[in-house]
Structure formats: C-alpha cells, structure tokens
Amino acid sequence: MSRFLAYTLSIPGHLFPQMSTLAELRRRGHDAVVVTSAPALESIERAGVRARAATPELERGLNLPRAENPEERRRRRRALVNQQGKLAAADLERAIEAERPDVLLLDPLWGAMIAAEGSGLPWALAAHSPVLIPTLAPRASGPGYPPPGGVLGRLRDRLVGARQRRRLDARLPRVNTLRAVRGLEPLAHVWEGPLRAPLVLAYTAEPFEYPRSDWPASVRFVGPGSWDAPAEPLEWLADADGPPLVLVATSSVRQNDEVLAETALAALADQPFRVVATMPLEGLTGHIPSNARVERYVPHAAVLERAVCVVCHGGLGITQKALAAGVPVVAVPFGRDQFEVARRVEAAGAGVRLPNDRLTPARLREGVRRAMACRAGAKRVAAAFRAAGGAPAAADALEALAGGGGSRRGTPSRAGRPEPRLGVRDGARP
C-alpha cells in the first residue's frame, strides 16, 4: 500500500474535491494525510482521513477586510501571494520530511509545485478551476468570453491570452529564484509550472469544460469530486411534500457577494418555493421571508436531493455539485474563476448566466424560471460527469502514479529530475 499526502487550502472549493479522492484511496487500504489550515482538520479526521496543520500563514489574504480600498486590497493580496510561495514550499517540505509519502497531491500553489518537483517524488496537481486547465495549453481565460468560434474568436484569445501571460510572468524572477535553490532549471514562463506535473487531475469533464483536441497528455478528466464535511441530519428537510426547494449559495472566500443572497430572498419571497441560503462568511441583516432559512453551512448534497434550482456565485465547486445532481443553475459571477464557470453553465445549456451588475429581484426571479427549463441540459452534464469516473477514476490515476514513481518512501528517485545548476547546493533552502 502507498501513502498519499495532499497539500491544499481549506476552502471547500479546493479541499472537498480532493477529499473525495483521498477517501476512496483510504477505502482501498492506502494511507492518506491532508495538510491544510487548522479550521478544517476536525472534519477531515471525522471522515477517516489523517490531517496535519499547515502553516497558519498559508491562507492569509484570502479574506481581507471589506472596508479597504479595492486597489489597496489588490496590492496586499499580490504581496501575500508572493510571500505565500516561500511559505508553501518550506511548509510542504516539512510535511514530506515528517510523513515520508509516496505520492503528493497539490493545490496549484506555485511554491508547493516547486517543492514537489524538487522533492523528486511523483506528484499530481488538483485542477479545480477552469482558469488553471487552459493555462496548460494557453488560451484566454478569466473574463468569461464565449467559446472561440472562427477567426475573430481565435484572434481574441491570442491577444488576450498573451496579455494574461505577460501579467503572470511578472512573478517569474521570484519563481525562478525559488527553483534555483532547489536545483531546478528556470522556467521561461510562469504558466509552464503546471506542465511540470506528471499528472493533472482535472475535477471537471467535457462537455462542461469546452471540448478540445490539444489537452496535454498529463491531464486526466475525472469529473467533480463530490464530498461534504460530516454534519448532523437536517431535520427541517424531512417534509418530502413541501414546496420545491431553491438553494442559494455564496462564496466561502470574501468577495462581497452577500447581495446575491439578499436579492434572491427578495426575488423568491412570494414564490411557491422553499429557499435555503448558505452564507459561510457574512450574516444577513435584512428581512428573512417566511419561506426561507439562512444557514452558515449545510451539507449541500442533502439539499440538492430536493432542489429544483441552485442560485450561486459561480464557484466551480457548488456549480458542479448542483449539475452532478441534475439540478440547473443560475450563476451570478463576482470574481476569480466564476466568470468562466458561469459562461460554461450557459454554453452547456444547463442554466442561466446573470451578470452581477444586472442583478435585481425581477431579473433573478426570471433567471430561476428560465434555469428550471434547463433541467435536461443539467442532466446531460450529470451523465458526462458520471462517465468521467469521479473519485474512483482519480484514485486509479494516483495509484498508477505511485506504481511508477519514487524508489522508496522518503527517498525519491531522481529519475526525470534536472541536475542542480552550477553553484547551487542541491536541496538548499532560501
């Protein structure tokens, strides 16, 4: 049996897909340990997977105070991401030394990827964002453009993609410095970093991800990883004869999207639905109508069994969890990869994309009505997700990686690892 070590942020969109895979590996008799931030450790261990605390600084900057000037917040976040690289690299190396794993499974944290490559161990990247996957075969991603069609679409992607890669490459000197002290050759571009992974587990599947023929050989589509943190049964869901249920979900990373929950409650207050709104970060100060309840967290799988529609911010986790259950989505994106996810919902015919600057109760109410007519599209996506194989397929890929990896636990093979650059001591730390 093998030992698998996962290094991940604790936010659900990152942790939950990997937990489904690690739980499957544990079921097969392997050892699995998750290194993540302290708040998630208890729920991980309750699920039967070992957990270790990551450095407390790993997630600093994810939830900066709302009152700050937006430009100042962006500046601070960039500075913290740069600092995070060194922190994650050193933190992962400490975990490798303590656990002596056979295989690593990583979030796409640039410092952790460098430490993984420098370790000589087999490693896999967990791709839980459509922005990351096109980075492996560069294409414009992030703004949520429609899929390219014809010459103009390809030209748009080429121009926008080039600008995006130049912006990423501003980090290149820091990346290559961290690589050099670990005996790794420099990269020409930052986006080449994920290409170094022997395996990329893409927690999605075509046709929700735009079909294409030029995916790198390392990419394995396995569909979404569906996992919920252990929780008590929801007694208030027991009424099977109650009105149809609409789930409203906001982000677990601060982005000022509580307006989505407020608008949804207002839009559906006089409609024949039960409404459940989950707000992990912000409370709701306004009126809560009689047909609604607001919770900080509920296991979404239990609610989705009774839902007819999901209204959400377009995070890939909740969006794919809804579609995997055959439930159509109204996606209202606010930032990060959400514009790409919302566009994919629309392109797949599995729901409705509603820009946040057009969000009103009337438009959202109409969006729910239109999304409910997309149930056939949601079911098509659900069938594609099932065909991708899910956690068993991801576990198969990781077992294959373990079988062809290092020579023995804690003493990785140097096969395929570049020789140290002259003047740099192999294994040195910054």
Side-chain angles (χ1 to χ4, degrees), residues 343-358:
R343 180 66 73 174
R344 283 159 172 77
V345 169
E346 181 182 69
V352 172
R353 178 183 63 91
L354 177 60
N356 71 68
D357 59 359
R358 301 189 66 222

Side-chain angles (χ1 to χ4, degrees), residues 141-199:
S141 60
Y145 293 137
V151 175
L152 290 180
R154 290 193 293 273
L155 178 62
R156 175 204 70 198
D157 273 9
R158 187 175 302 169
L159 294 174
V160 176
R163 185 172 70 243
Q164 292 171 329
R165 291 192 288 278
R166 283 196 299 271
R167 188 167 62 245
L168 277 175
D169 281 347
R171 197 185 304 158
L172 192 61
R174 288 181 289 272
V175 169
N176 281 336
T177 296
L178 207 60
R179 291 179 62 83
V181 296
R182 285 158 175 83
L184 302 173
E185 75 271 22
L187 300 178
H189 302 284
V190 167
W191 56 263
E192 293 174 355
L195 286 168
R196 310 291 294 192
L199 172 66

Side-chain angles (χ1 to χ4, degrees), residues 11 80 85 132 182 233 383:
I11 57 179
L80 288 166
L132 172 70
R182 285 158 175 83

Side-chain angles (χ1 to χ4, degrees), residues 73 111 114-115 199 205 275 284 319 349:
R73 286 184 64 187
I114 292 171
L199 172 66
V275 181
L284 197 66
T319 300

